[in-house]
Amino acid sequence: MSKTPQQPQTTKSKELKIVTRHVVTLSDVEKNPRLIKLLYIISSFKDISEKALLYLLYYMHQNGYGMGYNFIVIGQVPSSKDVSSDLTVLKYLGLVEVNERKKLSISSLGREFLAKHVETTLKNEKETIDKLVNELRVKIAPVDAEVEIRVKKRPG
């Protein structure tokens, strides 16, 4: 009788990774002018893709209006974890919605919230934001159109 060599048994284990997140409330947004500015910028559009919004914020930053976001540009495409994080907060609280075309739009709750806080938070910056958004709208329109085309091409 020949004995077959025993192979060491490997055990596979699944690790549970727990990530803690702070609970965010509307009062936290009230205290954060950057979130209110972001909400206001989104409200300037009927709807806007996340990609186009990233480009817009990046171009605003390049034109001297920084909101405190750090951008990484890879292959001429701006990216920011800060913007993604802030958008997640706005979506979580229901201030921003994502429609069927994968575009961001301000919700009715977001409009109410903004109406209460826009004048106090953006009193001096509202004009600057409006001017930049209107100037840069032409630059980001192709990015938004590209996203729209990609969403339409996906089999549904």
Side-chain angles (χ1 to χ4, degrees):
M1 279 197 193
S2 66
K3 290 186 178 178
T4 55
Q6 285 189 345
Q7 301 223 349
Q9 285 204 341
T10 57
T11 57
K12 293 182 182 178
S13 66
K14 292 185 179 181
E15 243 179 76
L16 179 63
K17 195 174 200 179
I18 298 173
V19 179
T20 57
R21 301 252 186 233
H22 295 283
V23 176
V24 183
T25 62
L26 286 175
S27 64
D28 294 328
V29 177
E30 288 173 4
K31 298 172 193 166
N32 189 336
R34 184 166 85 174
L35 287 172
I36 295 173
K37 289 176 196 175
L38 183 60
L39 189 61
Y40 180 73
I41 290 168
I42 294 169
S43 75
S44 301
F45 296 86
K46 179 182 171 232
D47 55 13
I48 185 171
S49 66
E50 276 190 45
K51 185 175 182 181
L53 181 62
L54 263 169
Y55 271 88
L56 175 66
L57 294 171
Y58 176 71
Y59 291 145
M60 289 173 77
H61 180 75
Q62 296 293 86
N63 284 323
Y65 186 80
M67 290 176 46
Y69 291 120
N70 295 315
F71 290 94
I72 297 171
V73 181
I74 301 170
Q76 297 180 342
V77 177
S79 178
S80 173
K81 284 184 181 181
D82 300 335
V83 174
S84 296
S85 176
D86 282 357
L87 284 174
T88 301
V89 168
L90 294 176
K91 289 179 211 171
Y92 172 77
L93 292 172
L95 299 172
V96 171
E97 301 169 329
V98 179
N99 64 23
E100 66 281 350
R101 295 181 341 226
K102 305 288 184 215
K103 291 194 173 185
L104 303 168
S105 60
I106 189 167
S107 66
S108 56
L109 176 65
R111 279 190 287 281
E112 280 179 38
F113 181 84
L114 205 52
K116 290 178 189 171
H117 299 94
V118 74
E119 292 305 321
T120 55
T121 306
L122 303 178
K123 53 188 165 211
N124 301 329
E125 298 179 55
K126 193 174 174 219
E127 240 178 75
T128 308
I129 292 171
D130 289 339
K131 183 178 176 232
L132 275 170
V133 165
N134 288 326
E135 284 175 14
L136 296 170
R137 200 177 287 264
V138 177
K139 267 182 120 171
I140 64 158
V143 177
D144 222 14
E146 174 194 339
V147 170
E148 183 114 7
I149 290 168
R150 285 193 179 161
V151 169
K152 283 182 182 177
K153 282 185 180 180
R154 286 191 184 142

